């Protein structure tokens, strides 16, 4: 176990549904990330939160809405998704100390396998 | 455009042999990281090499970094069946206080018993 949990592990939803993915980290990190992993494509960074503030939004469609209520929790709210949004959604966390210039590894959760029908 | 690109895309070897995977990138980096992913699971960090380092070891893993060629290699020695997984390199580009890791497409490694 990496200290990052994700729920649910599997999700099947229709295009008109609204659902949320949840990520929780127990590592005391101050940055959290959402990635999308589709078949035969590189892992795509979707959102980055540092100290609960969104610092990156990689042109992700508005049907994906992130929320970071505190440094331990990260949500991805989904609505009116498309079949091409079916993928493995991975959450990660890391400790970032920008003043020291240090960089650390990211710890990933097991992912949520999303299928949009 | 994609920052990290692994080569080969797939590698199949016999147990006990060494496996070498390569990664090339395009822009200046802060550090380069290697991750492993078992099928359908999350990624697990293997090793981080900073831009001012040339080689790093961790158990059976050896990573090299050549910033002049913008390339890195991951060597797994004395491979085991349990090493079967996908391996990704990720380059770290500074973005405010948080990392922005850019991953390659990965190398699918199969160790045959």
């Amino acid at each position: 176990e990496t200290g990052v949990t994700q729920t649910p592990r599997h999700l099947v939803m229709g295009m008109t549904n609204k659902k949320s993915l949840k990520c929780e980290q127990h590592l005391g990190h101050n940055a959290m990330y959402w990635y999308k992993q589709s078949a035969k494509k590189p892992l795509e960074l979707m959102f980055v939160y540092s100290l609960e503030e969104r610092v990156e939004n990689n042109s992700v469609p508005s049907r994906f809405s992130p929320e970071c209520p505190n440094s331990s929790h990260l949500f991805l709210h989904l609505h009116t998704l498309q079949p091409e949004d079916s993928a493995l959604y991975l959450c990660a966390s890391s400790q970032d100390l920008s003043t020291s210039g240090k960089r650390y590894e990211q710890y990933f959760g097991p992912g949520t396998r999303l299928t949009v029908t | 455009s994609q920052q990290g690109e692994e080569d080969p895309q797939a590698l199949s070897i016999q147990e006990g042999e060494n496996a070498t995977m390569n990664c090339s990138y395009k822009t200046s980096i802060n550090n380069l990281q290697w991750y492993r992913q078992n099928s359908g699971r999350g990624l697990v960090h293997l090793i981080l090499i900073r831009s001012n380092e040339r080689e790093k070891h961790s158990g059976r893993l050896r990573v090299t970094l050549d910033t002049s060629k913008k390339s890195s290699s991951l060597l797994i020695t004395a491979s085991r069946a349990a090493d079967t997984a996908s391996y990704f390199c990720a380059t770290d580009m500074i973005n405010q206080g948080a990392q922005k890791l850019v991953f390659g497409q990965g190398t699918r490694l199969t160790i045959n018993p």
Side-chain angles (χ1 to χ4, degrees):
Chain A
E1 295 298 326
T2 62
V4 181
T5 58
Q6 288 186 245
T7 55
R9 295 293 309 279
H10 300 271
L11 178 62
V12 179
M13 60 186 288
M15 290 191 285
T16 58
N17 290 159
K18 286 186 180 181
K19 297 286 184 183
S20 296
L21 309 184
K22 179 182 176 181
C23 175
E24 184 173 358
Q25 59 97 0
H26 311 273
L27 302 167
H29 289 162
N30 59 10
M32 296 187 77
Y33 312 79
W34 279 117
Y35 290 89
K36 176 184 178 182
Q37 188 175 35
S38 306
K40 299 185 180 180
K41 290 178 72 175
L43 202 64
E44 299 172 64
L45 178 64
M46 299 175 73
F47 300 104
V48 179
Y49 277 83
S50 177
L51 300 174
E52 301 156 44
E53 182 180 336
R54 190 190 307 180
V55 297
E56 183 77 24
N57 175 1
N58 271 359
S59 302
V60 179
S62 60
R63 57 186 183 268
F64 295 91
S65 175
E67 178 190 0
C68 187
N70 55 61
S71 60
S72 298
H73 294 86
L74 185 65
F75 295 89
L76 188 62
H77 304 299
L78 317 170
H79 68 97
T80 59
L81 295 191
Q82 305 297 310
E84 60 264 30
D85 297 323
S86 297
L88 182 67
Y89 288 84
L90 293 164
C91 172
S93 70
S94 73
Q95 188 66 27
D96 285 287
L97 300 173
S98 56
T99 54
S100 69
K102 290 185 178 181
R103 286 296 185 262
Y104 298 89
E105 64 270 27
Q106 293 188 9
Y107 290 77
F108 283 78
T112 295
R113 174 68 63 187
L114 174 66
T115 303
V116 182
T117 60
Chain B
S1 63
Q2 186 175 308
Q3 172 74 323
E5 295 186 14
E6 286 90 345
D7 167 51
Q9 291 189 1
L11 179 63
S12 181
I13 61 174
Q14 294 301 119
E15 195 167 19
E17 294 180 340
N18 296 341
T20 299
M21 290 158 274
N22 302 296
C23 169
S24 60
Y25 58 93
K26 294 183 173 65
T27 62
S28 296
I29 59 171
N30 188 59
N31 63 59
L32 186 144
Q33 305 181 28
W34 284 91
Y35 288 81
R36 165 201 166 117
Q37 183 181 32
N38 287 78
S39 182
R41 306 282 298 183
L43 279 71
V44 175
H45 179 262
L46 295 176
I47 199 163
L48 181 156
I49 186 164
R50 303 190 192 283
S51 58
N52 61 354
E53 297 176 311
R54 292 296 167 258
E55 188 171 311
K56 204 159 184 181
H57 298 255
S58 177
R60 294 184 295 113
L61 304 181
R62 172 177 169 256
V63 167
T64 62
L65 178 64
D66 187 333
T67 53
S68 66
K69 296 181 180 178
K70 291 185 169 58
S71 67
S72 174
S73 68
L74 170 66
L75 168 67
I76 303 175
T77 60
S79 63
R80 305 167 182 168
D83 294 329
T84 293
S86 291
Y87 292 82
F88 298 87
C89 70
T91 49
D92 177 7
M93 300 161 70
I94 297 173
N95 177 49
Q96 296 177 249
Q99 290 180 321
K100 180 180 178 181
L101 288 184
V102 180
F103 287 82
Q105 283 192 299
T107 293
R108 176 69 191 166
L109 175 65
T110 302
I111 308 298
N112 302 303

